[in-house]
Amino acid sequence: MSAPFARSSASIATPPRIHDTRRERLPRGARPRRDVAPTSWAKSESANPTTTKTTRLPAPTVHPASVPTRAHLIRGGAASSAAASSGESSPLGVHALVWTGGWSAADANDACARTAAAGYDIIEIPLLNPRAVDVEMTRNALGTHGLRVATSLGLSFDADVSSDDASCVARGNALLDEALDVSVGIGATHMCGILYSALGKYPRRATSRGYRNAVAAIKRLAKRAAERSDVALGLEVVNRYETNLLNTATQAMAFLNDVDEPNVVIHLDTYHMNIEERSLEAAVLECGDRLGYVHVGESDRGALGSGNVDFDSLFRGLARVHYRGPITFESFSGDVVSPDLSDVLCIWRNPWGFEQRDELASDARSFVLGMMDKHGLR
């Protein structure tokens, strides 16, 4: 990242247990109490959103796939039925911003060491500034610790491929190309995030021209990616305050159909789904075998299981579509993330402290594995 890291990386040590920065952990399967009344905008979408029953939709058609092992990482849903029948389960990842706000050699090696020590398979590296990532150094760090890698980014308003301004679109395309070059160079399986618009609050709806520009940009990028590697492009569906284009799984499916490239998949994130989707399970079923990447994040960006995200609903859906793609833990704290990126991500408070990173990540992995076991995903 271009901004300096707020704190220098420290050697791996046994961290203190997390107590004061998160709510009491609930027994697995229990739902937290909801004492806060739903907000007015939630009421406009559902008469009683806190008690709405999950709609059990028909399971999507599953088409048998004859794909190599790496391909089941690219498209994680029904197309991974071969992987499911062979007993393979989803690889688990953690976002690098759990560990560090920078990507110097020291930061990279520390983050990779902590990722491996916590038992994860994948580290997700942010590429908001692709030029700040040293490809050779990163490959060495990944290889030393035996990790796979994914990348992610969001565009800025002056490099927005969903803009009506051709020069702005061109800058966005150039940034996406730089990010793809780095992703291919470090051996990423996925390049995910808000690749189709700026990351931020828009003052109005997307225009028809802006939508067409975004579709064209992703289609162009997908063709370029396919010519160079088997990296998949994951379009992250985020809440209305971070884009005006893809806020729901339904919108993402329509966009994907317009792009019509096989190496473009949907990237769902529970933090955003908890705001925009009426049912996490139904959203997963909507995507079916087009779902290729999943972020698990809590409603307050803190410890998994401490907020109000309905993870049972998510994992029921993943089981029904036979999902075997990556599941990556994402959590942010201003104690780690650099000040400029904290502003972009609206991190106005710290759900956990710098010295609590190791326990946070370890607990998240245990939580996800517990959900996978509960719903027959491994």
Side-chain angles (χ1 to χ4, degrees), residues 23-187:
R23 292 178 286 251
E24 181 179 351
R25 294 297 295 271
L26 299 173
R28 182 171 293 150
R31 300 297 301 143
R33 220 176 69 195
R34 301 191 183 191
D35 298 322
V36 181
T39 59
S40 57
W41 67 261
K43 289 179 181 178
S44 69
E45 295 189 343
S46 171
N48 188 4
T50 60
T51 58
T52 300
K53 293 183 180 179
T54 298
T55 302
R56 294 302 184 105
L57 301 178
T61 302
V62 176
H63 301 285
S66 54
V67 293
T69 301
R70 181 176 167 95
H72 95 266
L73 291 172
I74 294 176
R75 179 165 294 180
S80 67
S81 56
S85 64
S86 67
E88 294 180 7
S89 60
S90 291
L92 303 188
V94 60
H95 200 291
L97 289 177
V98 169
W99 310 118
T100 178
W103 203 250
S104 66
D107 294 331
N109 279 284
D110 183 70
C112 288
R114 291 177 184 274
T115 298
Y120 286 95
D121 309 296
I122 300 168
I123 185 168
E124 182 183 318
I125 301 173
L127 296 180
L128 295 179
N129 179 9
R131 297 179 185 180
V133 175
D134 184 310
V135 170
E136 184 177 0
M137 177 275 291
T138 301
R139 287 185 70 97
N140 289 338
L142 294 167
T144 297
H145 299 286
L147 295 174
R148 286 176 264 179
V149 64
T151 61
S152 59
L153 70 151
L155 301 178
S156 60
F157 282 104
D158 67 348
D160 179 4
V161 296
S162 71
S163 172
D164 289 349
D165 183 338
S167 61
C168 187
V169 172
R171 288 191 292 272
N173 282 328
L175 179 60
L176 290 173
D177 285 344
E178 290 181 8
L180 179 62
D181 289 344
V182 172
S183 298
V184 172
I186 64 177

Side-chain angles (χ1 to χ4, degrees), residues 275-316:
I275 297 171
E276 299 292 351
E277 303 285 2
R278 293 178 177 173
S279 161
L280 274 65
E281 181 180 5
V284 171
L285 297 182
E286 175 81 17
C287 297
D289 69 350
R290 308 301 299 276
L291 179 61
Y293 200 85
V294 173
H295 271 165
V296 283
E298 193 46 273
S299 56
D300 65 347
R301 294 290 199 187
L304 296 186
S306 66
N308 58 23
V309 171
D310 188 354
F311 285 105
D312 279 304
S313 180
L314 172 78
F315 282 90
R316 274 199 308 271

